Amino acid sequence: MRSDNIKKGIAKTPHRSLLMATGVSKKNMNSPFIGIASSFSDLVPGHIGLRDLERQIEKGIHTGGGQAFIFGVPAVCDGIAMGHDGMRYSLPSRDLIADCVETVANAHQLDGLVLLSNCDKITPAMLIAAARINVPTIIVTAGPMLDGESRCEKLTMIKGAFEAIGKYRNGEITEERLLELEEASCPSAGACQGLYTANTMACLTEVMGMSLPHCATAAAVSSEKRRIAFESGVQIVELVKQDKKPLDIITRDSLRNAIIADLAMGGSTNSFLHILAIANAAGINVDLKDFEELSYKIHQFVKLEPSNNITMTQFHQAGGINAVLKELLKSVSEFKDLEGVALANTSEIVKNAYLDKNVIHEYEEPFTTKPGLGILYGNIAPEGSVIKISAVDESCYEFEGTAKTFDSEEEAMQALEGDKIKEGDVIVIRYEGPKGGPGMREMLAPTSLLVGKGLGTKAALITDGRFSGGTRGICVGHICPEAANGGVIALIEDGDKIRIDINKRTLDLMVDEKILDERRKNLKPYTIKQRGFLGKYARTVSDASHGAIV
């Protein structure tokens, strides 16, 4: 065992003495040492219940014959960080968390890991860490929160809280109703209720085989989740005994399986960043071309909140990820039958999977033959941009509008709140990319306000920043090159015409190249102003088309 490096032989007497100080018995000194990396936090709704799951995992590890050690990593709530400078720290925290897990696991020569996670950047960070460290690992995602309810109206964090602001400002609801929705939209611990980034990444973790069946969708406050946590603790000891490592599971085939499932379900656009970063950590050749290639082949047969009214709770009851996997194995030749941490092939796990056709369609009878996500190219985005096709009304697949440019999210919000955005406008938010932000802030506030004001099908928004998984409407993000690197998005002026064509997967600025050349001559070079963590991040981060890795 790897932990022999800290516990075997006369020379390790001081090491054993220090381990005994933590409570390790002489008998358990010979057991596999299993780390539980926990992102527990009183600040993050998705993570407030992790103390209980830590306990269940610890019980499982000791039941399986291992010795458990819990250590902490940070967590950021994207919803609380949204709309202010705090959001600049969200994406950078992904690499910080991966560094924390790698540091503790390798410094103490742990034999295996259970990575306890839930929210947007924490789960991909755990997967990145697993690929880097490559000791037997299971991910436990803590699960979605319960659906909100008020006056017999089903609520989610997006439609009950964020979009309610636009409705209030539009005069559709009273302040009293707004406050009722505020209190009722997030009724429990857990990741927000729709197929936003947190739940998208939980689902893709299960698809890849890095968590046990049903882990992604079992509610955070359920006894089922507690049982899955316990079983994960037992199973990690077996994985250590069989030396089944993450890089046996995270392969080109399993990452492409994740992309296929993502397209079939219409997950968050942030998954593009995270899958590319996981591939980089694992040394696997997966890039935007894989997304583009598969996006032309995959039907969307699952449609969840925010592009539908079906929540994660209903998805779980309808069969969840097992039902999706069964359909993909049956109908998509590119989808591979692989073995994950359950130590069984997907086909064996899902052979008796239940499927409620009212929620999860059969693959050959999809919601649409178009994928949930797409890559757009053009003179604004020669290196690519992303759009959540499933969240766009089909009447808007071809949209041409007039640019209104803003050099920050705050400037765009002021224009939206001041009713300066009208039908036919294309909001351009730039200098919000990985380098320019820095930190590539999510922009749920402007997109939610756009929808809340009734402009979701009448105006568009494009940015070198990114969106929440809860975003809907004609919203294009991850534009590369970003403005801070001199991308064309930095050259757009008010009044320019912009054309978005989802059918052709194009994003173009309708301005002559000679005019753009003149504008480029007058473009001032971007300078990094931040110090500390964000300054370091801005100086080392890659572009979004390569996963915004550092």
Side-chain angles (χ1 to χ4, degrees):
M1 292 187 292
R2 192 167 86 133
S3 60
D4 288 350
N5 292 324
I6 62 170
K7 64 187 184 185
K8 290 290 184 182
I10 296 298
K12 298 302 187 293
T13 297
H15 302 67
R16 289 191 296 274
S17 181
L18 289 165
L19 287 165
M20 287 178 181
T22 72
V24 178
S25 68
K26 285 191 174 182
K27 179 181 178 182
N28 270 21
M29 199 68 73
N30 295 317
S31 301
F33 280 11
I34 310 295
I36 303 170
S38 171
S39 51
F40 165 78
S41 170
D42 280 332
L43 269 171
V44 184
H47 296 242
I48 58 173
L50 298 195
R51 283 286 180 251
D52 181 46
L53 297 182
E54 290 171 7
R55 188 162 163 254
Q56 296 303 315
I57 294 166
E58 187 177 33
K59 285 181 180 179
I61 290 168
H62 291 153
T63 298
Q67 171 66 49
F69 300 91
I70 300 171
F71 62 93
V73 300
V76 170
C77 175
D78 280 26
I80 296 172
M82 194 75 64
H84 55 85
D85 272 355
M87 178 49 75
R88 301 186 193 282
Y89 287 87
S90 174
L91 184 58
S93 76
R94 182 189 68 183
D95 294 272
L96 177 66
I97 294 162
D99 289 349
C100 289
V101 176
E102 178 188 350
T103 297
V104 174
N106 284 340
H108 300 93
Q109 294 291 285
L110 299 175
D111 298 307
L113 293 165
V114 180
L115 306 181
L116 180 56
S117 171
N118 211 23
C119 289
D120 297 42
K121 309 308 166 298
I122 299 92
T123 298
M126 297 297 199
L127 287 161
I128 290 167
R132 285 188 196 167
I133 304 162
N134 200 34
V135 298
T137 301
I138 289 181
I139 313 278
V140 177
T141 50
M145 70 169 60
L146 300 179
D147 298 346
E149 187 177 357
S150 174
R151 301 188 191 181
C152 296
E153 178 185 352
K154 185 172 69 177
L155 302 174
T156 64
M157 185 270 291
I158 300 297
K159 292 179 180 174
F162 272 97
E163 290 181 7
I165 298 169
K167 291 178 180 178
Y168 168 69
R169 287 183 171 147
N170 227 24
E172 295 177 37
I173 60 174
T174 64
E175 184 176 0
E176 180 185 16
R177 182 61 180 151
L178 179 67
L179 295 176
E180 287 177 352
L181 294 172
E182 171 187 306
E183 192 170 352
S185 293
C186 299
S188 75
C192 299
Q193 301 100 329
L195 195 60
Y196 317 141
T197 306
N199 289 320
T200 295
M201 290 311 302
C203 288
L204 300 188
T205 300
E206 188 175 328
V207 171
M208 278 185 257
M210 285 299 295
S211 59
L212 291 181
H214 310 295
C215 186
T217 55
V221 295
S222 66
S223 57
E224 181 180 9
K225 179 62 70 177
R226 297 179 92 230
R227 292 194 297 270
I228 289 169
F230 175 83
E231 290 160 4
S232 296
V234 174
Q235 186 70 356
I236 188 60
V237 181
E238 184 61 29
L239 291 176
V240 170
K241 290 176 181 176
Q242 296 197 24
D243 199 28
K244 183 78 169 182
K245 297 176 179 177
L247 293 186
D248 299 326
I249 298 166
I250 302 172
T251 62
R252 177 168 168 77
D253 281 341
S254 68
L255 287 174
R256 280 174 64 89
N257 277 1
I259 294 170
I260 290 167
D262 201 12
L263 295 168
M265 295 190 295
S268 166
T269 53
N270 285 315
S271 60
F272 287 69
L273 289 173
H274 301 321
I275 289 174
L276 293 173
I278 295 162
N280 177 77
I284 296 167
N285 181 26
V286 167
D287 56 29
L288 274 184
K289 292 177 183 176
D290 291 278
F291 287 90
E292 184 183 15
E293 171 217 332
L294 291 167
S295 74
Y296 286 98
K297 301 175 181 178
I298 305 304
H299 303 167
Q300 186 185 358
F301 65 101
V302 178
K303 202 173 179 72
L304 305 180
E305 162 82 25
S307 54
N308 203 342
N309 291 320
I310 298 168
T311 62
M312 293 300 294
T313 296
Q314 293 166 291
F315 179 53
H316 180 68
Q317 293 167 347
I321 292 301
N322 272 9
V324 172
L325 297 178
K326 188 173 183 178
E327 283 300 302
L328 290 173
L329 279 172
K330 182 174 70 176
S331 303
V332 179
S333 60
E334 287 90 348
F335 196 86
K336 306 301 182 185
D337 188 12
L338 305 173
E339 183 183 81
V341 295
L343 297 176
N345 276 30
T346 303
S347 56
E348 185 180 345
I349 292 169
V350 307
K351 62 184 178 183
N352 296 318
Y354 168 72
L355 186 152
D356 180 346
K357 295 180 184 178
N358 293 315
V359 175
I360 303 169
H361 287 198
E362 292 184 334
Y363 187 82
E364 298 305 333
E365 296 182 9
F367 284 94
T368 173
T369 56
K370 292 181 172 61
L373 303 165
I375 310 286
L376 307 186
Y377 291 95
N379 65 349
I380 298 179
E383 295 175 18
S385 61
V386 302
I387 188 166
K388 188 165 184 171
I389 298 174
S390 63
V392 181
D393 190 282
E394 289 197 27
S395 65
C396 307
Y397 278 11
E398 295 178 14
F399 186 92
E400 185 171 321
T402 305
K404 286 193 176 176
T405 60
F406 306 94
D407 288 348
S408 70
E409 178 186 1
E410 287 81 1
E411 291 179 16
M413 280 296 290
Q414 287 175 9
L416 277 161
E417 290 172 340
D419 294 325
K420 294 178 181 177
I421 303 301
K422 307 295 182 187
E423 182 175 341
D425 286 342
V426 178
I427 302 168
V428 179
I429 305 179
R430 56 200 177 190
Y431 296 102
E432 290 286 8
K435 177 180 178 180
M440 204 180 184
R441 292 189 289 178
E442 280 187 357
M443 297 187 207
L444 182 57
T447 60
S448 296
L449 190 52
L450 200 65
V451 171
K453 282 178 166 287
L455 292 170
T457 60
K458 299 171 184 176
L461 190 157
I462 70 170
T463 180
D464 54 7
R466 61 193 178 89
F467 301 121
S468 160
T471 290
R472 57 191 179 113
I474 316 164
C475 300
V476 183
H478 302 204
I479 289 173
C480 288
E482 63 173 294
N485 286 330
V488 171
I489 191 172
L491 308 178
I492 301 172
E493 295 184 358
D494 288 352
D496 288 348
K497 294 295 182 183
I498 293 172
R499 181 181 294 159
I500 302 166
D501 192 326
I502 293 173
N503 292 318
K504 294 181 180 177
R505 310 286 169 84
T506 56
L507 173 64
D508 288 304
L509 177 64
M510 313 307 288
V511 174
D512 188 88
E513 191 63 37
K514 290 180 181 178
I515 296 174
L516 293 180
D517 287 340
E518 287 300 314
R519 293 180 185 178
R520 195 173 280 110
K521 291 175 185 176
N522 297 319
L523 185 66
K524 294 179 181 178
Y526 177 78
T527 56
I528 297 169
K529 301 178 182 67
Q530 281 78 11
R531 302 176 65 189
F533 179 50
L534 288 182
K536 180 173 68 173
Y537 182 81
R539 288 177 176 85
T540 56
V541 69
S542 71
D543 59 61
S545 65
H546 291 92
I549 56 174
V550 297

